Amino acid sequence: MKKTMIKKVLFVALIATFSSCNIYTVSTFQPDQNNGSDCPNPIYVATIAKSAISIVGLDSQGKSIESANQKSMTILSLIEDARKIYGNDVTIHNIRWDVKNRKKKTGVVYDVIKCK
């Protein structure tokens, strides 16, 4: 009976260990897959990287406390950022998201293009 109990405890501990791990994935958004190409002759302008994570303070053990601003990761926000830098005649393409635990977007890399 003791061996069975030890096996159950180890199994539960193993499940708890794996379920507490952070899982990072990369998701992509390709408008061409859904709608066809809206810009047949794009001109590459730049690549932009953006992070949603900002350090808001330190806890009692000296570890950083992070906050993720999800509103800054919307496609509309990314287009607005690109247009502030490169002008109103640009759009974005080839969006690659960094995603934590399949829920929160922690960063993004995307291309800025100009349609001819």
Side-chain angles (χ1 to χ4, degrees):
M1 182 164 158
K2 224 176 191 181
K3 287 184 180 181
T4 306
M5 185 65 150
I6 291 173
K7 286 182 181 179
K8 288 181 181 179
V9 169
L10 287 175
F11 181 72
V12 169
L14 183 67
I15 295 295
T17 301
F18 283 121
S19 66
S20 66
C21 296
N22 286 335
I23 299 172
Y24 288 91
T25 59
V26 175
S27 300
T28 59
F29 174 75
Q30 295 290 345
D32 290 348
Q33 293 173 347
N34 300 324
N35 304 358
S37 180
D38 54 343
C39 186
N41 296 316
I43 299 170
Y44 172 80
V45 176
T47 299
I48 296 178
K50 185 176 180 181
S51 175
I53 301 295
S54 60
I55 297 175
V56 294
L58 299 175
D59 65 7
S60 61
Q61 299 170 344
K63 293 184 180 178
S64 62
I65 301 170
E66 297 177 343
S67 172
N69 182 359
Q70 294 297 297
K71 288 185 179 180
S72 70
M73 293 285 108
T74 62
I75 292 177
L76 179 61
S77 176
L78 301 179
I79 291 172
E80 288 174 349
D81 291 345
R83 288 182 177 168
K84 282 180 192 173
I85 299 169
Y86 298 104
N88 288 331
D89 58 343
V90 298
T91 189
I92 62 174
H93 188 68
N94 196 19
I95 302 167
R96 297 161 310 273
W97 306 100
D98 293 327
V99 181
K100 182 177 181 180
N101 292 332
R102 298 183 187 130
K103 295 178 188 174
K104 292 186 178 179
K105 296 173 185 168
T106 59
V108 64
V109 177
Y110 58 98
D111 295 331
V112 179
I113 60 172
K114 191 179 284 190
C115 289
K116 208 173 182 184

